[in-house]
């Protein structure tokens, strides 16, 4: 596998990640906390069923690994952390029910959220319940559009991902681009922003923009439209189930140009669905995965030792979401929501896998950290 320093990160950061553990200390006075007794519960809504079910265990395990390490070092404020996970199935209605259940379970911070369309309806639920959200994966700009004080994104935004796509498309020498999305908040956000940014590039023309329906198995109408437009580059911004099918059907119809997918399709399941031969050379805009992090070998080994399986996409981001939550609780010396939010806003330089953390005033990452991956064999590797 290709290994090199990730855009926006350094080997030193990856190798010097520190735990957020802290012993002792009392809770600040005031409402909005958890009473100061027992374990501090962190909630995670993630896809444990449905078309994106491959991602949920990566997120849950990554979060649990961080909790186990922090608890082994004494916990936070002299208390243990506990993960409470609920299945959101990447479905808005299921996600809303999962969020409501996590609130009734008394979680102090939410550290979940993969599909943006499913995460969006949970925002008002957690906001009303006064629960800070550190979202590790979902990254549509719609998540921060309402400027809710309790919402923080730990993944690069759709705008940052679109810019990474545009930069690569320009550098690739492509002249005619077809965009395709699944009409969900996350996917539409990236494709629309990519189209707008490419529209300002005189040397690149958008020749087609298709929106398909997620969950279907026949995308022949979109494939025909794309082929008739004669693009030399196709950028798919939806999830891996549909992405794999679209790639398979494009190749079967004779398309031989470049294909790139957004981060929701970065999973080995996409390669399997597309067929290994069809997927070779497919590119992806993506933040780091465990296997592409310089100096990440020890973390991978620790994960495998704990869960007897390899880590995958968003396991590191979920690990970091727990660490950031613990750091904020420690710095606030409190489990009160307003204190945790204030502590999150003040974080400056805390080491996470994508670099040194600092949130913008919009509660997004100051640096998106998107790079380009490429399918090699049965996995995604860094593109040279």
């Amino acid at each position: 596998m290709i290994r090199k320093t990730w855009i926006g990160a350094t080997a030193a950061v990856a190798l010097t990640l520190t735990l957020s553990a802290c012993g002792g200390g009392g809770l600040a006075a005031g409402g909005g906390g958890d009473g100061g007794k027992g374990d501090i519960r962190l909630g995670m809504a993630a896809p444990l069923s449905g078309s994106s079910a491959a991602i949920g265990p990566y997120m849950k395990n990554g979060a649990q690994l961080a909790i186990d390490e922090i608890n082994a070092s004494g916990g936070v404020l002299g208390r243990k952390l506990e993960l409470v996970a609920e299945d959101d199935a990447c479905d808005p209605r299921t996600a809303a029910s999962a969020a409501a259940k996590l609130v009734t379970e008394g979680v102090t911070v939410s550290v979940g959220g993969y599909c943006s369309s499913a995460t969006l309806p949970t925002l008002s639920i957690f906001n009303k319940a006064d629960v800070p959200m550190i979202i590790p994966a979902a990254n549509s700009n719609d998540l921060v559009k309402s400027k809710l004080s309790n919402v923080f994104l730990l993944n690069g935004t759709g705008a940052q991902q679109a810019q990474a796509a545009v930069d690569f498309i320009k550098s690739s020498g492509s002249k005619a681009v077809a965009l395709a999305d699944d009409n969900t908040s996350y996917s539409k956000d990236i494709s629309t922003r990519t189209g707008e940014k490419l529209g300002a590039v005189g040397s690149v023309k958008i020749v087609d923009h298709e929106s398909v329906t997620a969950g279907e198995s026949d995308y022949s109408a979109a494939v025909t439209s794309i082929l008739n437009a004669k693009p030399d580059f196709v950028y798919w911004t939806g999830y891996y189930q549909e992405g794999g099918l679209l790639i398979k059907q494009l190749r079967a119809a004779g398309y031989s140009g470049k294909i790139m997918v957004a981060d929701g399709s970065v999973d080995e399941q996409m390669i399997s669905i597309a067929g290994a031969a069809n997927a070779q050379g497919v590119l992806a805009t993506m933040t780091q995965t465990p296997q592409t992090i310089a100096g990440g070998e020890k973390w991978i080994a620790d994960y495998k030792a704990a869960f007897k399986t390899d880590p995958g996409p968003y396991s590191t981001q979920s690990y970091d979401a727990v660490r950031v939550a613990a750091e904020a609780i420690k710095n606030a010396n409190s489990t009160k929501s307003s204190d945790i939010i204030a502590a999150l806003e003040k974080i400056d330089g805390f080491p996470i896998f994508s670099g040194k953390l600092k949130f913008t005033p919009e509660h997004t990452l100051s640096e998106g950290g998107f790079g380009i991956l490429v399918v090699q064999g049965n996995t995604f590797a860094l593109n040279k």
Side-chain angles (χ1 to χ4, degrees), residues 90-127:
C90 272
D91 172 74
R93 184 171 295 183
T94 305
S97 296
K101 188 170 183 181
L102 290 172
V103 169
T104 64
E105 292 283 348
V107 300
T108 296
V109 179
S110 167
V111 292
Y114 172 67
C115 291
S116 294
S117 59
T119 305
L120 278 167
T122 72
L123 301 185
S124 60
I125 295 170
F126 285 124
N127 183 260

Side-chain angles (χ1 to χ4, degrees), residues 32-48:
D34 58 10
K37 297 179 181 179
D39 293 346
I40 298 173
R41 312 190 91 186
L42 304 182
M44 170 173 280
L48 301 173

Side-chain angles (χ1 to χ4, degrees), residues 239-295:
Y239 294 99
Y240 65 80
Q241 180 76 28
E242 294 78 16
L245 290 171
L246 184 65
I247 291 167
K248 183 177 182 178
Q249 293 170 28
L250 278 169
R251 293 305 192 204
Y255 177 73
S256 59
K258 295 183 180 71
I259 299 176
M260 187 162 71
V261 300
D263 55 344
S265 284
V266 178
D267 188 274
E268 291 179 1
Q269 293 275 359
M270 189 213 76
I271 302 171
S272 176
I273 294 167
N278 294 325
Q280 293 311 295
V282 168
L283 301 150
T285 47
M286 182 64 185
T287 49
Q288 85 287 336
T289 62
Q291 292 80 9
T292 60
I293 297 169

Side-chain angles (χ1 to χ4, degrees), residues 16-23 40 42 66-67 70 75-77 79 81 108-109 111 134 154 319-336 339-352 357-359:
T16 59
L17 291 173
T18 56
L19 295 177
S20 304
C22 176
I40 298 173
L42 304 182
I67 284 175
I70 292 168
V76 182
L77 305 183
R79 300 165 63 186
L81 298 180
T108 296
V109 179
V111 292
I134 303 171
L154 209 59
Y319 174 88
D320 278 337
V322 168
R323 295 178 60 252
V324 171
E327 179 73 2
I329 293 169
K330 180 195 75 173
N331 291 344
N333 194 34
S334 169
T335 57
K336 184 180 177 182
D339 294 338
I340 295 171
I341 290 170
L344 287 168
E345 291 175 335
K346 292 177 183 177
I347 285 178
D348 189 354
F350 182 71
I352 61 176
L357 177 62
K358 181 177 176 62
F359 289 109

Side-chain angles (χ1 to χ4, degrees), residues 6 67 109 116 122 146 160 176 217 225 262 292 302 328 332 363 367 376-377:
W6 189 259
I67 284 175
V109 179
S116 294
T122 72
S146 298
Q160 291 167 326
S217 59
S225 180
T292 60
D302 289 345
H363 293 180
E367 295 183 3
Q376 294 182 350

Side-chain angles (χ1 to χ4, degrees), residues 112-292:
Y114 172 67
C115 291
S116 294
S117 59
T119 305
L120 278 167
T122 72
L123 301 185
S124 60
I125 295 170
F126 285 124
N127 183 260
K128 185 177 180 180
D130 214 18
V131 175
M133 300 179 70
I134 303 171
I135 302 173
N139 61 354
S140 170
N141 284 79
D142 289 342
L143 294 166
V144 292
K145 186 181 293 183
S146 298
K147 299 181 180 180
L148 297 176
S149 64
N150 66 313
V151 176
F152 295 79
L153 302 190
L154 209 59
N155 192 11
T157 64
Q160 291 167 326
Q161 183 162 193
Q163 188 61 58
V166 169
D167 291 344
F168 183 83
I169 291 168
K170 287 167 57 179
S171 69
S172 73
S174 297
K175 303 297 183 184
V177 177
L179 301 173
D181 61 61
D182 64 10
N183 220 19
T184 62
S185 172
Y186 148 81
S187 182
K188 195 73 173 178
D189 180 52
I190 298 171
S191 67
T192 299
R193 290 175 184 276
T194 301
E196 291 171 349
K197 292 175 183 294
L198 282 175
V201 179
S203 61
V204 182
K205 183 179 180 181
I206 303 295
V207 296
D208 192 23
H209 191 159
E210 298 292 318
S211 292
V212 304
T213 301
E216 294 186 348
S217 59
D218 182 5
Y219 296 116
S220 56
V223 167
T224 298
S225 180
I226 290 171
L227 263 61
N228 287 342
K230 295 182 170 30
D232 57 17
F233 198 110
V234 175
Y235 185 34
W236 162 253
T237 61
Y239 294 99
Y240 65 80
Q241 180 76 28
E242 294 78 16
L245 290 171
L246 184 65
I247 291 167
K248 183 177 182 178
Q249 293 170 28
L250 278 169
R251 293 305 192 204
Y255 177 73
S256 59
K258 295 183 180 71
I259 299 176
M260 187 162 71
V261 300
D263 55 344
S265 284
V266 178
D267 188 274
E268 291 179 1
Q269 293 275 359
M270 189 213 76
I271 302 171
S272 176
I273 294 167
N278 294 325
Q280 293 311 295
V282 168
L283 301 150
T285 47
M286 182 64 185
T287 49
Q288 85 287 336
T289 62
Q291 292 80 9
T292 60

